[in-house]
Amino acid sequence: MQLDLLSIAAHPDDTELTCGGTVIKMVQAGYKVGLLDLTGGESGTRGSAALRSKESARAARVMGISHRENLGLPDAALEHLREYKLKIAVKIRELRPRAVILPYWEGRHPDHYTAGQIGYEACFLAGLSKAPLAGTPFRPYKIIYSTLYVPSLRPTFVVDITRQFEKKLKAILCYSSQFSSRKDTQNLFPSRSDVRERIGALARHFGLMIGARYGEPFVTREVAAVEDVVTMPVKSI
Ligand SMILES: [Zn+2]
């Protein structure tokens, strides 16, 4: 397989929530996009791993991606284990993505930032010819970090997902087990009716930064190169 883009995330639904609009946009642009979920989300308060697996397959169909798989690493227990990094690296060699989306390397949930950290190291390991791994050495060209779970962070860039927003919402709502039917439930498990408002508020916040309706934020470690400073997007004043 030769993917254009691979999103690696800790739990099923993380990609949908943090960068689902971008994934859909790249599918619509004709790119071959895949998702690699590291854990089954079995330690989550709601929904079994089996149920979340069904939900994630449904969401994959909504997004129109070419490939989705779950690595089956332990939920709520992602660690800096060489074994885990090698498992991810093998997948990178198999899927050969030109670009990779990882969760930002700091944050509240240890699984999220650990996925970002071991994901990065796996990308590096995948390119080492002497690494004890099956497959041909391969390293993604580009790594970008999704920062929606750390909204206080100033993004390096924002992707306009205005046209993809409804589909992103539809993909998120595939995860019925994660939503409460009760209207009064607060915080972690919003009611279905509250989902649109929450997802919309965040997307609107980042969209405003680039003069769009809805957006998703990203950070890169390296700076961006610009060819033409005259037609650069995003209004300054
Ligand atoms: Zn998560």
Side-chain angles (χ1 to χ4, degrees), residues 48-61 68 174-175:
S48 62
L51 179 55
R52 293 188 78 174
S53 156
K54 267 189 200 159
E55 292 170 342
S56 70
R58 218 173 290 147
R61 282 196 293 278
R68 179 171 214 166
C174 289
Y175 294 88

Side-chain angles (χ1 to χ4, degrees), residues 147-230:
T147 62
L148 198 87
Y149 283 154
V150 197
S152 57
L153 210 70
R154 188 177 169 82
T156 311
F157 67 91
V158 169
V159 175
D160 180 349
I161 60 149
T162 308
R163 286 167 185 274
Q164 290 74 33
F165 181 74
E166 289 303 325
K167 204 170 238 200
K168 166 179 170 138
L169 210 57
K170 200 175 164 197
I172 290 168
L173 288 171
C174 289
Y175 294 88
S176 308
S177 68
Q178 302 305 300
F179 303 118
S180 168
S181 49
R182 291 168 53 204
K183 284 209 163 106
D184 58 350
T185 306
Q186 296 293 312
N187 300 321
L188 274 177
F189 299 102
S191 66
R192 288 181 84 91
S193 58
D194 198 26
V195 170
R196 168 179 284 273
E197 203 176 335
R198 288 185 183 211
I199 307 292
L202 274 174
R204 187 83 184 96
H205 168 73
F206 290 108
L208 277 170
M209 289 186 177
I210 56 162
R213 181 150 190 86
Y214 295 121
E216 283 174 344
F218 296 89
V219 156
T220 55
R221 291 178 191 262
E222 61 282 357
V223 297
V226 171
E227 280 293 328
D228 181 347
V229 295
V230 177

Side-chain angles (χ1 to χ4, degrees), residues 10-11 13-14 109 112 149:
H11 313 115
D13 85 359
D14 280 344
H109 195 311
H112 294 162
Y149 283 154

